[in-house]
Amino acid sequence: MSGAGLILPAAILLTLGLSMAMAQGLPVRIHDGIRTFAGDPNRVVAATQDPPSRITLYSAHKEGGRPWADAIWVRQTPEGRSFLSRAYDCEAGTYRWLGEAARLGQISLSVSSVAQTAPRRLEPGTVEYDLARHACAL
């Protein structure tokens, strides 16, 4: 297939991806260059009642020209805090779990298999969806 013949299929896939993300209500914000974002420990992005927790952004990263976001979150509970690492494909409406740990430098040590990091569909109404929505809008 020629280069010109690949343009139409690529455009169709891009349109399908954007429509899936828009159907889920996820923003797809793409920057020209690499961007990093510092979180605000006073801005709660998601919260749960049982068990009680509040989640704030620690930091995020977006690659230039791509609909992806990587984020590290802080989950505060009555027992203490933990750090969560996620990678989001804002266009496809999926995320990858990249670990959780009580200490920032130990996040990757919590991953014990490649299967744990496989893409997972984001479902509206879940905490993961709320986190993705925030990271994708950056």
Side-chain angles (χ1 to χ4, degrees), residues 22 35 38 40 46-47 49 54 62 68-69 84 98 109 113 115 122 127-128 134 137:
M22 286 189 291
R35 297 282 309 266
D40 178 353
Q49 298 299 320
R54 46 178 257 164
K62 293 185 97 171
W68 305 333
L84 324 171
L98 299 178
L109 298 175
S113 74
L122 286 159
V127 169
E128 290 295 349
H134 183 82

Side-chain angles (χ1 to χ4, degrees), residues 19-133:
S19 355
M20 287 188 321
M22 286 189 291
Q24 288 183 319
L26 285 177
V28 178
R29 185 165 184 202
I30 299 174
H31 298 281
D32 289 336
I34 296 172
R35 297 282 309 266
T36 58
F37 304 88
D40 178 353
N42 297 312
R43 180 170 184 209
V44 175
V45 176
T48 62
Q49 298 299 320
D50 189 25
S53 71
R54 46 178 257 164
I55 302 171
T56 58
L57 179 67
Y58 181 79
S59 67
H61 167 265
K62 293 185 97 171
E63 289 187 33
R66 299 177 190 259
W68 305 333
D70 298 321
I72 296 178
W73 306 95
V74 178
R75 178 175 45 211
Q76 186 69 47
T77 68
E79 289 78 34
R81 77 177 180 180
S82 57
F83 294 91
L84 324 171
S85 180
R86 305 289 187 266
Y88 303 100
D89 184 333
C90 306
E91 193 173 85
T94 61
Y95 77 100
R96 293 185 313 128
W97 180 90
L98 299 178
E100 300 181 12
R103 294 180 53 195
L104 188 59
Q106 295 178 329
I107 294 173
S108 63
L109 298 175
S110 67
V111 178
S112 59
S113 74
V114 173
Q116 286 178 300
T117 64
R120 304 171 191 189
R121 173 93 16 230
L122 286 159
E123 300 294 334
T126 64
V127 169
E128 290 295 349
Y129 180 85
D130 292 342
L131 298 178
R133 186 168 171 74

